[in-house]
Amino acid sequence: MALLEARDIVAGYGETEILHGVSLVVNAGEIVTIIGPNGCGKSTLMKAVVGLVPVRSGAVTFRGVDITDHAPERVVRAGLCYVPQSANVFPSLSIRENLDMGAFTRGDDSQARIDEMFRLFPDLARRPKARAGSLSGGQRQMLALARALMLDPRLLLLDEPSAGLSPAIMGLVFERIRDINATGVALLLVEQQAREALQLSDRGYVLSGGENRLEDRGPALLDNPEVARLYLGG
């Protein structure tokens, strides 16, 4: 049974339909990347999965349970966390306070989990009282990842985690994504840095015009001449 399955999703904003029957699957423990041109519906698909955009038709199941159009807080409690591209931390709060906010539904002492996050993201541990708004772009992205992980999700959805970062910091973010996956968390990425993302992905999807165009293993998509020409600069 798939961890996450989106079947024939039709969704959009107002009168505009963005997704025209898109499907995808994420299995337990996988890293799956969605690539495609700007405006093809990648972010809309993620938002439809987590209940931020209404699903007009189709269905989303998570761990075998239909979560179509569930409120985002219900989706989070089910074990699926979403990290948007921007506005993904509380800038006026400290690093520690952001992590505390991330643990809002745990119902237990969150200190042990915070300690785990500080081991996974040592840069955050060095200055836990620093305001999130004072952090660099890379540090804010690390904090956003750590905050999402506070609830021990089974699946993490990341929308453009490398956006606006230098190549060195981008490499560190992808390294942390591998580390997160090694703990057993599955990840679904939307990423413009297609080559780097596919290199670490078990599988990938290519969207175009709000529809599925290609699906294959990450390495196979990297070797696909059409994908290389259109999306990898090759």
CSV table of all heavy atoms in Angstrom, one decimal, residues 135-196:
chain,number,residue,atom,x,y,z
A,135,LEU,N,18.2,35.2,10.8
A,135,LEU,CA,18.9,34.1,10.2
A,135,LEU,C,19.1,34.3,8.7
A,135,LEU,O,18.4,35.0,8.1
A,135,LEU,CB,18.2,32.8,10.5
A,135,LEU,CG,17.9,32.4,11.9
A,135,LEU,CD1,17.1,31.1,12.0
A,135,LEU,CD2,19.2,32.3,12.7
A,136,SER,N,20.2,33.7,8.2
A,136,SER,CA,20.4,33.7,6.8
A,136,SER,C,19.3,32.8,6.1
A,136,SER,O,18.6,32.0,6.8
A,136,SER,CB,21.8,33.1,6.4
A,136,SER,OG,21.8,31.7,6.8
A,137,GLY,N,19.2,32.9,4.8
A,137,GLY,CA,18.2,32.1,4.0
A,137,GLY,C,18.4,30.6,4.3
A,137,GLY,O,17.4,29.9,4.5
A,138,GLY,N,19.6,30.2,4.3
A,138,GLY,CA,19.9,28.7,4.5
A,138,GLY,C,19.5,28.3,5.9
A,138,GLY,O,18.9,27.2,6.1
A,139,GLN,N,19.8,29.1,6.9
A,139,GLN,CA,19.5,28.8,8.3
A,139,GLN,C,18.0,28.8,8.5
A,139,GLN,O,17.4,28.0,9.2
A,139,GLN,CB,20.1,29.8,9.2
A,139,GLN,CG,21.6,29.7,9.3
A,139,GLN,CD,22.3,30.8,10.0
A,139,GLN,OE1,21.8,32.0,10.0
A,139,GLN,NE2,23.4,30.6,10.7
A,140,ARG,N,17.3,29.7,7.8
A,140,ARG,CA,15.8,29.7,7.9
A,140,ARG,C,15.2,28.5,7.3
A,140,ARG,O,14.3,27.9,7.9
A,140,ARG,CB,15.2,31.0,7.3
A,140,ARG,CG,15.3,32.2,8.1
A,140,ARG,CD,14.4,33.3,7.6
A,140,ARG,NE,14.7,33.7,6.2
A,140,ARG,CZ,15.6,34.6,5.8
A,140,ARG,NH1,16.3,35.3,6.8
A,140,ARG,NH2,15.8,34.9,4.5
A,141,GLN,N,15.8,28.0,6.2
A,141,GLN,CA,15.3,26.8,5.6
A,141,GLN,C,15.5,25.6,6.5
A,141,GLN,O,14.7,24.7,6.7
A,141,GLN,CB,16.0,26.5,4.3
A,141,GLN,CG,15.3,25.5,3.4
A,141,GLN,CD,13.9,25.8,3.1
A,141,GLN,OE1,13.0,25.3,3.7
A,141,GLN,NE2,13.7,26.6,2.1
A,142,MET,N,16.7,25.6,7.2
A,142,MET,CA,17.0,24.5,8.2
A,142,MET,C,16.0,24.5,9.3
A,142,MET,O,15.5,23.5,9.8
A,142,MET,CB,18.4,24.6,8.7
A,142,MET,CG,19.5,24.5,7.7
A,142,MET,SD,19.6,22.9,6.8
A,142,MET,CE,21.0,23.2,5.8
A,143,LEU,N,15.7,25.7,9.8
A,143,LEU,CA,14.7,25.9,10.9
A,143,LEU,C,13.3,25.4,10.4
A,143,LEU,O,12.6,24.8,11.2
A,143,LEU,CB,14.7,27.3,11.4
A,143,LEU,CG,13.7,27.6,12.5
A,143,LEU,CD1,13.9,26.7,13.7
A,143,LEU,CD2,13.8,29.1,12.9
A,144,ALA,N,13.0,25.7,9.2
A,144,ALA,CA,11.7,25.3,8.7
A,144,ALA,C,11.6,23.8,8.6
A,144,ALA,O,10.5,23.2,9.0
A,144,ALA,CB,11.4,25.9,7.3
A,145,LEU,N,12.7,23.1,8.2
A,145,LEU,CA,12.7,21.7,8.2
A,145,LEU,C,12.6,21.1,9.6
A,145,LEU,O,11.8,20.2,9.9
A,145,LEU,CB,14.0,21.2,7.5
A,145,LEU,CG,14.2,21.5,6.0
A,145,LEU,CD1,15.6,21.1,5.6
A,145,LEU,CD2,13.1,20.7,5.2
A,146,ALA,N,13.4,21.7,10.5
A,146,ALA,CA,13.4,21.2,11.9
A,146,ALA,C,12.0,21.4,12.5
A,146,ALA,O,11.5,20.5,13.3
A,146,ALA,CB,14.4,21.9,12.7
A,147,ARG,N,11.4,22.5,12.3
A,147,ARG,CA,10.0,22.8,12.9
A,147,ARG,C,9.0,21.8,12.4
A,147,ARG,O,8.2,21.3,13.1
A,147,ARG,CB,9.6,24.2,12.5
A,147,ARG,CG,8.4,24.7,13.3
A,147,ARG,CD,8.2,26.2,13.2
A,147,ARG,NE,7.8,26.6,11.9
A,147,ARG,CZ,6.6,26.6,11.4
A,147,ARG,NH1,5.6,26.3,12.2
A,147,ARG,NH2,6.3,27.0,10.2
A,148,ALA,N,9.1,21.4,11.1
A,148,ALA,CA,8.1,20.4,10.5
A,148,ALA,C,8.4,19.1,11.1
A,148,ALA,O,7.5,18.3,11.3
A,148,ALA,CB,8.3,20.4,9.0
A,149,LEU,N,9.7,18.8,11.4
A,149,LEU,CA,10.0,17.4,11.9
A,149,LEU,C,9.7,17.3,13.4
A,149,LEU,O,9.7,16.1,13.9
A,149,LEU,CB,11.5,17.2,11.7
A,149,LEU,CG,12.0,17.0,10.3
A,149,LEU,CD1,13.5,17.0,10.2
A,149,LEU,CD2,11.4,15.6,9.7
A,150,MET,N,9.3,18.3,14.1
A,150,MET,CA,9.0,18.2,15.5
A,150,MET,C,7.8,17.3,15.7
A,150,MET,O,7.7,16.7,16.8
A,150,MET,CB,8.7,19.6,16.1
A,150,MET,CG,9.9,20.5,16.3
A,150,MET,SD,11.0,19.8,17.5
A,150,MET,CE,10.0,19.8,19.0
A,151,LEU,N,7.0,17.1,14.8
A,151,LEU,CA,5.8,16.2,14.9
A,151,LEU,C,6.0,14.8,14.5
A,151,LEU,O,5.1,14.0,14.3
A,151,LEU,CB,4.6,16.8,14.2
A,151,LEU,CG,4.0,18.1,14.8
A,151,LEU,CD1,2.9,18.7,14.0
A,151,LEU,CD2,3.6,17.9,16.3
A,152,ASP,N,7.3,14.4,14.2
A,152,ASP,CA,7.6,13.0,13.8
A,152,ASP,C,6.7,12.6,12.6
A,152,ASP,O,6.1,11.6,12.6
A,152,ASP,CB,7.4,12.0,14.9
A,152,ASP,CG,8.3,12.3,16.1
A,152,ASP,OD1,9.5,12.3,15.9
A,152,ASP,OD2,7.8,12.5,17.2
A,153,PRO,N,6.7,13.4,11.5
A,153,PRO,CA,5.9,13.1,10.3
A,153,PRO,C,6.4,11.8,9.7
A,153,PRO,O,7.5,11.4,9.7
A,153,PRO,CB,6.0,14.3,9.4
A,153,PRO,CG,7.4,14.8,9.7
A,153,PRO,CD,7.6,14.6,11.2
A,154,ARG,N,5.4,11.1,9.0
A,154,ARG,CA,5.8,10.0,8.1
A,154,ARG,C,6.2,10.5,6.7
A,154,ARG,O,7.0,9.8,6.0
A,154,ARG,CB,4.6,9.0,8.0
A,154,ARG,CG,4.1,8.4,9.3
A,154,ARG,CD,5.1,7.3,9.7
A,154,ARG,NE,5.1,6.2,8.8
A,154,ARG,CZ,4.2,5.2,8.9
A,154,ARG,NH1,3.2,5.2,9.8
A,154,ARG,NH2,4.2,4.2,8.0
A,155,LEU,N,5.7,11.6,6.4
A,155,LEU,CA,5.9,12.2,5.0
A,155,LEU,C,6.1,13.7,5.2
A,155,LEU,O,5.3,14.4,5.8
A,155,LEU,CB,4.8,11.9,4.1
A,155,LEU,CG,4.8,12.5,2.7
A,155,LEU,CD1,6.1,12.1,1.9
A,155,LEU,CD2,3.6,12.1,1.9
A,156,LEU,N,7.1,14.2,4.5
A,156,LEU,CA,7.4,15.6,4.5
A,156,LEU,C,7.3,16.2,3.1
A,156,LEU,O,8.0,15.6,2.2
A,156,LEU,CB,8.8,15.9,5.1
A,156,LEU,CG,9.3,17.3,5.6
A,156,LEU,CD1,8.3,17.8,6.6
A,156,LEU,CD2,10.7,17.2,6.1
A,157,LEU,N,6.5,17.2,2.9
A,157,LEU,CA,6.4,17.8,1.6
A,157,LEU,C,7.2,19.1,1.6
A,157,LEU,O,6.9,20.0,2.4
A,157,LEU,CB,4.9,18.1,1.3
A,157,LEU,CG,4.1,17.0,0.6
A,157,LEU,CD1,4.0,15.8,1.5
A,157,LEU,CD2,2.6,17.5,0.3
A,158,LEU,N,8.1,19.3,0.7
A,158,LEU,CA,9.0,20.5,0.6
A,158,LEU,C,8.8,21.2,-0.7
A,158,LEU,O,9.0,20.6,-1.8
A,158,LEU,CB,10.4,20.1,0.8
A,158,LEU,CG,10.8,19.2,2.0
A,158,LEU,CD1,12.3,18.9,2.0
A,158,LEU,CD2,10.4,19.9,3.3
A,159,ASP,N,8.4,22.4,-0.7
A,159,ASP,CA,8.2,23.2,-1.9
A,159,ASP,C,9.4,24.1,-2.1
A,159,ASP,O,9.6,25.1,-1.4
A,159,ASP,CB,6.9,24.0,-1.7
A,159,ASP,CG,6.5,24.7,-3.1
A,159,ASP,OD1,7.2,24.5,-4.0
A,159,ASP,OD2,5.4,25.3,-3.1
A,160,GLU,N,10.2,23.8,-3.1
A,160,GLU,CA,11.4,24.6,-3.5
A,160,GLU,C,12.3,24.8,-2.3
A,160,GLU,O,12.6,26.0,-1.9
A,160,GLU,CB,11.0,25.9,-4.1
A,160,GLU,CG,10.1,25.8,-5.3
A,160,GLU,CD,10.9,25.5,-6.6
A,160,GLU,OE1,12.1,25.3,-6.5
A,160,GLU,OE2,10.3,25.5,-7.7
A,161,PRO,N,12.8,23.8,-1.6
A,161,PRO,CA,13.7,24.0,-0.5
A,161,PRO,C,15.0,24.7,-0.8
A,161,PRO,O,15.6,25.3,0.2
A,161,PRO,CB,13.9,22.5,0.0
A,161,PRO,CG,13.7,21.7,-1.1
A,161,PRO,CD,12.6,22.3,-1.9
A,162,SER,N,15.4,24.7,-2.0
A,162,SER,CA,16.7,25.3,-2.3
A,162,SER,C,16.6,26.7,-2.9
A,162,SER,O,17.5,27.4,-3.3
A,162,SER,CB,17.5,24.5,-3.3
A,162,SER,OG,16.9,24.5,-4.6
A,163,ALA,N,15.3,27.2,-3.0
A,163,ALA,CA,15.1,28.5,-3.7
A,163,ALA,C,15.9,29.6,-3.0
A,163,ALA,O,15.8,29.8,-1.8
A,163,ALA,CB,13.6,28.8,-3.7
A,164,GLY,N,16.6,30.4,-3.8
A,164,GLY,CA,17.3,31.6,-3.4
A,164,GLY,C,18.6,31.3,-2.6
A,164,GLY,O,19.2,32.3,-2.0
A,165,LEU,N,19.0,30.1,-2.5
A,165,LEU,CA,20.2,29.8,-1.8
A,165,LEU,C,21.4,29.7,-2.7
A,165,LEU,O,21.3,29.4,-3.8
A,165,LEU,CB,20.0,28.4,-1.0
A,165,LEU,CG,18.8,28.3,-0.1
A,165,LEU,CD1,18.8,26.9,0.6
A,165,LEU,CD2,18.8,29.4,1.0
A,166,SER,N,22.6,30.0,-2.1
A,166,SER,CA,23.8,29.8,-2.8
A,166,SER,C,24.1,28.3,-3.1
A,166,SER,O,23.5,27.5,-2.4
A,166,SER,CB,25.0,30.4,-2.0
A,166,SER,OG,25.2,29.6,-0.8
A,167,PRO,N,24.9,28.0,-4.1
A,167,PRO,CA,25.2,26.6,-4.4
A,167,PRO,C,25.7,25.8,-3.2
A,167,PRO,O,25.3,24.7,-3.0
A,167,PRO,CB,26.3,26.7,-5.5
A,167,PRO,CG,26.0,28.0,-6.2
A,167,PRO,CD,25.5,28.9,-5.1
A,168,ALA,N,26.6,26.5,-2.3
A,168,ALA,CA,27.1,25.7,-1.2
A,168,ALA,C,26.0,25.4,-0.2
A,168,ALA,O,25.9,24.3,0.3
A,168,ALA,CB,28.2,26.6,-0.5
A,169,ILE,N,25.2,26.4,0.1
A,169,ILE,CA,24.1,26.2,1.1
A,169,ILE,C,23.0,25.3,0.5
A,169,ILE,O,22.5,24.4,1.2
A,169,ILE,CB,23.5,27.5,1.5
A,169,ILE,CG1,24.5,28.4,2.1
A,169,ILE,CG2,22.3,27.3,2.4
A,169,ILE,CD1,25.1,27.8,3.4
A,170,MET,N,22.8,25.3,-0.8
A,170,MET,CA,21.9,24.4,-1.5
A,170,MET,C,22.3,23.0,-1.3
A,170,MET,O,21.5,22.1,-1.0
A,170,MET,CB,21.8,24.8,-3.0
A,170,MET,CG,20.8,23.9,-3.7
A,170,MET,SD,20.8,24.4,-5.5
A,170,MET,CE,22.4,23.9,-6.0
A,171,GLY,N,23.6,22.8,-1.5
A,171,GLY,CA,24.2,21.4,-1.3
A,171,GLY,C,24.0,20.9,0.2
A,171,GLY,O,23.7,19.7,0.4
A,172,LEU,N,24.1,21.8,1.1
A,172,LEU,CA,23.9,21.5,2.5
A,172,LEU,C,22.4,21.1,2.8
A,172,LEU,O,22.1,20.1,3.5
A,172,LEU,CB,24.3,22.6,3.4
A,172,LEU,CG,24.2,22.4,4.9
A,172,LEU,CD1,25.1,21.2,5.3
A,172,LEU,CD2,24.6,23.6,5.7
A,173,VAL,N,21.5,21.8,2.1
A,173,VAL,CA,20.1,21.5,2.3
A,173,VAL,C,19.8,20.1,1.7
A,173,VAL,O,19.1,19.3,2.4
A,173,VAL,CB,19.2,22.6,1.6
A,173,VAL,CG1,17.8,22.1,1.5
A,173,VAL,CG2,19.2,23.9,2.4
A,174,PHE,N,20.3,19.8,0.6
A,174,PHE,CA,20.1,18.5,0.0
A,174,PHE,C,20.7,17.4,0.9
A,174,PHE,O,20.2,16.3,1.0
A,174,PHE,CB,20.6,18.4,-1.4
A,174,PHE,CG,19.8,19.1,-2.4
A,174,PHE,CD1,20.3,20.0,-3.3
A,174,PHE,CD2,18.4,18.9,-2.5
A,174,PHE,CE1,19.5,20.7,-4.3
A,174,PHE,CE2,17.6,19.5,-3.4
A,174,PHE,CZ,18.1,20.4,-4.3
A,175,GLU,N,21.9,17.7,1.5
A,175,GLU,CA,22.5,16.7,2.4
A,175,GLU,C,21.6,16.5,3.6
A,175,GLU,O,21.4,15.3,4.0
A,175,GLU,CB,23.8,17.3,2.9
A,175,GLU,CG,24.6,16.4,3.7
A,175,GLU,CD,26.0,17.0,4.2
A,175,GLU,OE1,26.6,17.6,3.3
A,175,GLU,OE2,26.3,16.8,5.3
A,176,ARG,N,21.0,17.5,4.1
A,176,ARG,CA,20.1,17.3,5.2
A,176,ARG,C,18.8,16.6,4.8
A,176,ARG,O,18.3,15.8,5.6
A,176,ARG,CB,19.7,18.7,5.8
A,176,ARG,CG,20.8,19.4,6.6
A,176,ARG,CD,21.2,18.6,7.8
A,176,ARG,NE,22.4,19.2,8.4
A,176,ARG,CZ,23.6,18.7,8.2
A,176,ARG,NH1,23.8,17.7,7.3
A,176,ARG,NH2,24.7,19.3,8.7
A,177,ILE,N,18.4,16.8,3.6
A,177,ILE,CA,17.2,16.0,3.1
A,177,ILE,C,17.6,14.5,3.1
A,177,ILE,O,16.8,13.6,3.5
A,177,ILE,CB,16.8,16.5,1.7
A,177,ILE,CG1,16.1,17.8,1.8
A,177,ILE,CG2,15.9,15.4,1.0
A,177,ILE,CD1,15.9,18.5,0.5
A,178,ARG,N,18.8,14.2,2.7
A,178,ARG,CA,19.2,12.7,2.7
A,178,ARG,C,19.2,12.3,4.2
A,178,ARG,O,18.8,11.1,4.5
A,178,ARG,CB,20.6,12.6,2.2
A,178,ARG,CG,20.7,12.7,0.7
A,178,ARG,CD,22.1,12.3,0.2
A,178,ARG,NE,22.3,12.5,-1.2
A,178,ARG,CZ,22.8,13.6,-1.8
A,178,ARG,NH1,23.2,14.6,-1.0
A,178,ARG,NH2,23.0,13.7,-3.1
A,179,ASP,N,19.7,13.1,5.1
A,179,ASP,CA,19.8,12.7,6.5
A,179,ASP,C,18.4,12.5,7.1
A,179,ASP,O,18.2,11.5,7.8
A,179,ASP,CB,20.5,13.8,7.4
A,179,ASP,CG,22.0,14.0,7.0
A,179,ASP,OD1,22.5,13.0,6.5
A,179,ASP,OD2,22.5,15.0,7.3
A,180,ILE,N,17.5,13.3,6.7
A,180,ILE,CA,16.1,13.2,7.2
A,180,ILE,C,15.5,11.9,6.6
A,180,ILE,O,14.9,11.1,7.4
A,180,ILE,CB,15.2,14.4,6.7
A,180,ILE,CG1,15.6,15.6,7.5
A,180,ILE,CG2,13.7,14.1,6.9
A,180,ILE,CD1,15.1,16.9,6.9
A,181,ASN,N,15.7,11.6,5.4
A,181,ASN,CA,15.2,10.4,4.8
A,181,ASN,C,15.8,9.1,5.4
A,181,ASN,O,15.2,8.1,5.6
A,181,ASN,CB,15.5,10.4,3.3
A,181,ASN,CG,15.0,9.2,2.5
A,181,ASN,OD1,15.8,8.4,2.0
A,181,ASN,ND2,13.7,9.0,2.5
A,182,ALA,N,17.1,9.2,5.8
A,182,ALA,CA,17.8,8.1,6.5
A,182,ALA,C,17.1,7.7,7.8
A,182,ALA,O,17.3,6.6,8.3
A,182,ALA,CB,19.2,8.4,6.7
A,183,THR,N,16.4,8.7,8.4
A,183,THR,CA,15.6,8.4,9.7
A,183,THR,C,14.3,7.6,9.4
A,183,THR,O,13.6,7.3,10.4
A,183,THR,CB,15.4,9.6,10.5
A,183,THR,OG1,14.4,10.5,9.8
A,183,THR,CG2,16.6,10.4,10.7
A,184,GLY,N,14.0,7.4,8.1
A,184,GLY,CA,12.7,6.7,7.8
A,184,GLY,C,11.6,7.6,7.3
A,184,GLY,O,10.5,7.1,7.0
A,185,VAL,N,11.9,8.9,7.2
A,185,VAL,CA,10.8,9.9,6.8
A,185,VAL,C,10.8,9.9,5.2
A,185,VAL,O,11.9,10.1,4.6
A,185,VAL,CB,11.1,11.3,7.3
A,185,VAL,CG1,10.0,12.3,6.8
A,185,VAL,CG2,11.1,11.3,8.8
A,186,ALA,N,9.7,9.7,4.6
A,186,ALA,CA,9.6,9.9,3.2
A,186,ALA,C,9.5,11.4,2.8
A,186,ALA,O,9.0,12.2,3.6
A,186,ALA,CB,8.4,9.1,2.7
A,187,LEU,N,9.9,11.7,1.6
A,187,LEU,CA,9.9,13.2,1.2
A,187,LEU,C,9.4,13.3,-0.2
A,187,LEU,O,9.7,12.5,-1.1
A,187,LEU,CB,11.3,13.8,1.3
A,187,LEU,CG,11.9,13.9,2.7
A,187,LEU,CD1,13.0,12.9,2.9
A,187,LEU,CD2,12.4,15.3,2.9
A,188,LEU,N,8.5,14.3,-0.4
A,188,LEU,CA,8.0,14.7,-1.7
A,188,LEU,C,8.5,16.1,-1.9
A,188,LEU,O,8.2,17.0,-1.2
A,188,LEU,CB,6.5,14.6,-1.8
A,188,LEU,CG,5.9,15.1,-3.1
A,188,LEU,CD1,6.3,14.2,-4.3
A,188,LEU,CD2,4.3,15.1,-3.0
A,189,LEU,N,9.3,16.3,-3.0
A,189,LEU,CA,9.9,17.6,-3.3
A,189,LEU,C,9.3,18.2,-4.5
A,189,LEU,O,9.2,17.5,-5.5
A,189,LEU,CB,11.4,17.5,-3.5
A,189,LEU,CG,12.3,16.7,-2.5
A,189,LEU,CD1,13.7,16.7,-2.9
A,189,LEU,CD2,12.2,17.2,-1.1
A,190,VAL,N,9.1,19.5,-4.5
A,190,VAL,CA,9.0,20.3,-5.7
A,190,VAL,C,10.3,21.1,-5.8
A,190,VAL,O,10.7,21.8,-4.8
A,190,VAL,CB,7.8,21.3,-5.6
A,190,VAL,CG1,7.9,22.4,-6.7
A,190,VAL,CG2,6.5,20.5,-5.9
A,191,GLU,N,11.0,21.0,-6.9
A,191,GLU,CA,12.3,21.6,-7.0
A,191,GLU,C,12.7,22.0,-8.4
A,191,GLU,O,12.5,21.3,-9.3
A,191,GLU,CB,13.3,20.6,-6.4
A,191,GLU,CG,14.7,21.1,-6.3
A,191,GLU,CD,14.8,22.3,-5.5
A,191,GLU,OE1,14.6,22.3,-4.3
A,191,GLU,OE2,15.2,23.4,-6.1
A,192,GLN,N,13.1,23.3,-8.5
A,192,GLN,CA,13.6,23.8,-9.8
A,192,GLN,C,15.1,23.3,-10.1
A,192,GLN,O,15.5,23.2,-11.2
A,192,GLN,CB,13.6,25.4,-9.8
A,192,GLN,CG,12.3,26.0,-9.9
A,192,GLN,CD,11.6,25.7,-11.3
A,192,GLN,OE1,12.3,25.5,-12.3
A,192,GLN,NE2,10.3,25.6,-11.3
A,193,GLN,N,15.8,23.0,-9.0
A,193,GLN,CA,17.2,22.4,-9.2
A,193,GLN,C,17.0,20.9,-9.5
A,193,GLN,O,17.3,20.1,-8.7
A,193,GLN,CB,18.0,22.7,-8.0
A,193,GLN,CG,18.2,24.1,-7.6
A,193,GLN,CD,19.0,24.9,-8.7
A,193,GLN,OE1,19.8,24.3,-9.4
A,193,GLN,NE2,18.7,26.2,-8.8
A,194,ALA,N,16.5,20.7,-10.7
A,194,ALA,CA,16.0,19.3,-11.1
A,194,ALA,C,17.2,18.3,-11.0
A,194,ALA,O,17.0,17.2,-10.5
A,194,ALA,CB,15.4,19.3,-12.5
A,195,ARG,N,18.3,18.7,-11.5
A,195,ARG,CA,19.4,17.7,-11.6
A,195,ARG,C,19.8,17.2,-10.2
A,195,ARG,O,19.9,16.0,-9.9
A,195,ARG,CB,20.6,18.3,-12.3
A,195,ARG,CG,21.8,17.3,-12.5
A,195,ARG,CD,22.9,17.9,-13.2
A,195,ARG,NE,22.6,18.5,-14.5
A,195,ARG,CZ,22.5,17.9,-15.6
A,195,ARG,NH1,22.7,16.6,-15.6
A,195,ARG,NH2,22.2,18.5,-16.7
A,196,GLU,N,20.0,18.2,-9.3
A,196,GLU,CA,20.4,17.9,-7.9
A,196,GLU,C,19.3,17.1,-7.2
A,196,GLU,O,19.6,16.1,-6.4
A,196,GLU,CB,20.7,19.1,-7.1
A,196,GLU,CG,22.0,19.9,-7.6
A,196,GLU,CD,21.8,20.7,-8.9
A,196,GLU,OE1,20.6,20.7,-9.4
A,196,GLU,OE2,22.7,21.3,-9.3
